[in-house]
Amino acid sequence: MADALLSPAVGGTMWAASAGLLAYSSSRLKTTLDDNRVPLMGVLAAFVFAAQMINFSIPGTGSSGHLGGGLILAVLLGPHAAFLSIASVLAVQALFFADGGLLALGCNIFNLGFFPCFLCYPFIFKPLAGEAPSRGRLMTASVIAAVVGLQMGAFGVVLETVASGISELPFNSFVLLMQPIHLAIGLVEGVVTAALLVFLHKARPELFGAAQQNAKTRSLRPVIVGLALAAMVVGGGLSWFAAGDPDGLEWSMAKVSGKEELEAPEHGIHSTLGSLQKSFAFLPDYNFKEPEATATDSGKPEAQQTESWPNVSAGTSISGLLGGFMTLCLAGLVALLLRRRAPSKA
């Protein structure tokens, strides 16, 4: 979500809700996080950052979507570490890549973190998958939980936008576009999540269910190295192949208002946070900062020229690699600090 969708009251309320969940998750991890999970938390956050850079097209709609990643994190890390990890991803995106607003950061953390980590994982995925999941149960649980989580998140965006009352997005029209397009996106996310979890379950079953208790008896170094390499490949190269279509939210807004992006108020907290974000975001939109648009031979500004696909760009590669590293450091540092503060055991 961008700041233009939110009033200060709604944005502040969701900031408070997300901060409370972050505090709760941190307190729980102080007594449950073991040494093996500290680097795993960092590399999984980096992998999700890279994965979110790749938008995939939704056929026949002119829209695209990307993975949320909250469910993958919850399955492999548990809900509390997963929530802190997805918050790390979104904080790095907003601060340094201008992806999502600062006022909207609380909403984005809640929508992409709370629903998959604290609702879909414990109440949908775990009962469907069971303690010793088969391949079929794992795939079924992944798809259903991913779809439900994204539907909840999309509906949260609609409620937060309508409650703010500062945009031209009426509830009925907005929700009737948001839910179906995110159903399609959720199905793709569910299939990708299922494929990744089935692969990891076959290779390292101790990462799942009751077998997690025995994970500390076997080194996770191969998994950590593999995920780190995957994050580098996805962020540094595969990000060139991201679809150029507007994502589900932008597509829905365009259908309702005729504009994919809405203008934020030019005064007050929106202006202050917008200026702050510009000062921090050194790679906005995952690319080098561009000079002001200049006229070209075709008479169109450069900024409006159609980009080729794949969009081979050094700026995108650097954004993927550097953003993944920054996310790894932030999530890993959080995990390390919480692990060091854990009470010693006799």
Side-chain angles (χ1 to χ4, degrees):
M1 294 184 73
D3 287 349
L5 297 175
L6 294 171
S7 66
V10 172
T13 299
M14 298 309 298
W15 255 99
S18 294
L21 287 169
L22 289 170
Y24 167 72
S25 298
S26 298
S27 67
R28 290 297 301 270
L29 280 184
K30 288 180 182 180
T31 58
T32 60
L33 188 65
D34 60 67
D35 290 331
N36 271 344
R37 300 283 155 168
V38 171
L40 185 61
M41 185 171 163
V43 295
L44 278 170
F47 177 78
V48 168
F49 176 94
Q52 287 193 7
M53 291 182 65
I54 302 181
N55 279 41
F56 47 84
S57 295
I58 305 300
T61 65
S63 177
S64 68
H66 63 75
L67 299 184
L71 182 63
I72 294 174
L73 295 172
V75 174
L76 298 177
L77 296 172
H80 307 103
F83 189 78
L84 291 172
S85 297
I86 197 68
S88 299
V89 172
L90 294 169
V92 169
Q93 289 175 342
L95 281 171
F96 304 111
F97 300 93
D99 188 4
L102 296 183
L103 178 62
L105 183 57
C107 290
N108 291 330
I109 291 174
F110 190 91
N111 296 335
L112 286 169
F114 173 75
F115 296 119
C117 296
F118 294 114
L119 292 182
C120 294
Y121 170 66
F123 299 114
I124 298 176
F125 181 89
K126 288 183 70 174
L128 290 175
E131 290 296 331
S134 64
R135 178 178 179 180
R137 295 187 67 174
L138 199 56
M139 294 182 69
T140 300
S142 298
V143 173
I144 294 177
V147 168
V148 173
L150 203 56
Q151 286 291 289
M152 289 180 175
F155 191 63
V157 171
V158 173
L159 291 181
E160 291 150 6
T161 301
V162 173
S164 295
I166 66 171
S167 61
E168 302 173 0
L169 299 172
F171 176 81
N172 289 340
S173 301
F174 196 26
V175 77
L176 287 175
L177 288 165
M178 282 285 285
Q179 302 309 130
I181 195 64
H182 283 89
L183 174 61
I185 295 170
L187 287 171
V188 176
E189 176 167 6
V191 171
V192 173
T193 299
L196 178 61
L197 293 181
V198 166
F199 171 78
L200 289 175
H201 184 263
K202 184 178 181 180
R204 301 300 294 261
E206 71 273 12
L207 292 173
F208 296 78
Q212 286 183 345
Q213 301 301 322
N214 301 320
K216 57 186 176 183
T217 64
R218 185 179 178 188
S219 173
L220 292 177
R221 180 174 296 178
V223 177
I224 291 168
V225 172
L227 287 169
L229 291 174
M232 293 173 64
V233 171
V234 173
L238 294 184
S239 55
W240 294 344
F241 297 88
D245 297 323
D247 64 27
L249 175 57
E250 294 169 341
W251 179 86
S252 300
M253 291 192 302
K255 292 292 185 180
V256 177
S257 67
K259 295 178 287 186
E260 293 177 7
E261 295 183 5
L262 303 179
E263 295 294 331
E266 298 181 355
H267 53 63
I269 192 170
H270 289 86
S271 176
T272 301
L273 291 178
S275 298
L276 181 65
Q277 187 177 46
K278 286 182 179 179
S279 66
F280 275 100
F282 55 89
L283 288 167
D285 296 324
Y286 305 101
N287 215 326
F288 298 126
K289 290 184 178 180
E290 296 182 355
E292 293 295 326
T294 57
T296 63
D297 293 338
S298 63
K300 292 183 180 180
E302 288 182 2
Q304 295 179 8
Q305 297 300 305
T306 301
E307 294 182 349
S308 60
W309 188 91
N311 181 22
V312 179
S313 167
T316 301
S317 295
I318 291 174
S319 297
L321 295 172
L322 186 57
F325 178 73
M326 294 169 69
T327 306
L328 184 152
C329 292
L330 178 57
L333 178 61
V334 169
L336 188 62
L337 291 174
L338 292 174
R339 180 65 188 125
R340 284 182 173 179
R341 293 180 181 179
S344 60
K345 296 181 180 180

